[in-house]
Amino acid sequence: MRPATALVHGGTLRSSFDETSEGLFLTQGFVYETMEAAEARFKGTDPGFIYSRFSNPTVAMFEARMAMLEGAEAARATASGMAAVTAAMMGQLKAGDHVVAARALFGSCLYVVEDLLPRFGVASTLVDGTDLAQWRAAMRPNTRAAFLESPTNPGLDVLDIPAIAEIVHAGGARLVVDNVFATPLLQKPIELGADCVVYSATKHIDGQGRCLGGVILASREFIDTHIHNFLRQTGPAMSPFNAWVMLKGLETLPLRVAQQTANAMRVADFLSRNKGIARVLYPFRDDHPQVELARRQMTGGGTLVTFDVQGGKAAAFRFANALDIINISNNLGDAKSLITHPATTTHQRLTPEQRAAIGIGDGMLRLSVGIEDIDDLIEDLQRGLAAL
Ligand SMILES: *Cc1c(COP(=O)(O)O)cnc(C)c1O
């Protein structure tokens, strides 16, 4: 099945009632015909379901559909994107190991790498993800994993996944890619050399602002060795209800991402023609610093546009406060267009120097472009520009 078909039909487990829509198995456990059947389930000789912390039919459908989309051998769903990131890292690491990560990370991913892992004896080094020499220099004999996001949040830098994978593999480590900003449709990290891909399904996969969720995708061997038991015993399971919502989200993912990406390109071009805007960052625009790399490893520029308004924080606030259609929210990937001021929200925890190091200024706004009519979005942005 091609992606658009797999996202509608892939992984469906139809019950004895032959329902059209995927069944929502809102159940904690499962019953066994006999004690012998229970014994066989626990032994693993009968592959059926045991308990929804381990596996559940609705969650299994979501995992199978995601694995088909990603081209991965195996997938495991989690309660949130951060549960996926935490499990993907903690499941494969132990005290004495070392991790290298790009500095420009989603705030909570930075917490996992910088604060949480070191508390358990896993050292970490942060590098400028666009500088391959820094990746090379950061590798140590005990480096076991590397972590990156591309495009980055909120600066939309594009990191060279094949080149970084080569450096990481040469050092005997594994590369984990958080592919939220690119979506599984516009970038295929496993084909580019990553060993493990993680998503916050909260973003484009739901795409309609309802449920939290996450997913980890990798080889069968990686999932069986590092992830399966970690999730089963520590319990960050995706709710069957959320898995059902995510399955319905996947059906329309290609339609939404295509519309959002087309809108985002138009928004970026529109903003770049305006005097009040100091800089526009969009991976598929000719003036993006890594546009050639972006065109090589992505099939679209994505659904986010980041830009700097002239006049710093006060001007950025005036711009966003003047918008009627675009909502102020730190979320992204939604059908609704959402705008946020990273310096005072998602990246408030960083010092001004740390923000400067990853290019976040006081005039920066990050716009997650939705599926609305482009003309309404442009008119709304004109309201923001007028307020500057
Ligand atoms: C939102 C996000 C996460 C965390 O996902 P949650 O579902 O909110 O836990 C991780 N990485 C990136 C890039 C994100 O945008």
Side-chain angles (χ1 to χ4, degrees), residues 85-152:
V85 171
T86 306
M89 299 308 283
M90 294 205 74
Q92 63 171 316
L93 295 167
K94 60 178 189 321
D97 289 346
H98 172 248
V99 169
V100 184
R103 185 173 292 113
L105 292 183
F106 182 76
S108 299
C109 297
L110 194 61
Y111 166 81
V112 169
V113 171
E114 238 192 341
D115 293 32
L116 184 68
L117 292 177
R119 275 172 40 199
F120 294 88
V122 178
S124 60
T125 305
L126 296 175
V127 298
D128 172 348
T130 61
D131 184 349
L132 295 177
Q134 288 195 26
W135 285 98
R136 259 182 231 110
M139 295 296 293
R140 298 182 192 167
N142 60 335
T143 305
R144 291 286 168 268
F147 184 82
L148 67 85
E149 303 172 10
S150 181
T152 63

Side-chain angles (χ1 to χ4, degrees), residues 80-83 85 106 109 149 178 180-181 200 202-203 212-213 332:
S80 69
M82 282 322 302
V85 171
F106 182 76
C109 297
E149 303 172 10
D178 177 334
V180 165
F181 272 49
S200 166
T202 313
K203 310 295 167 51
L212 297 179
L332 64 97

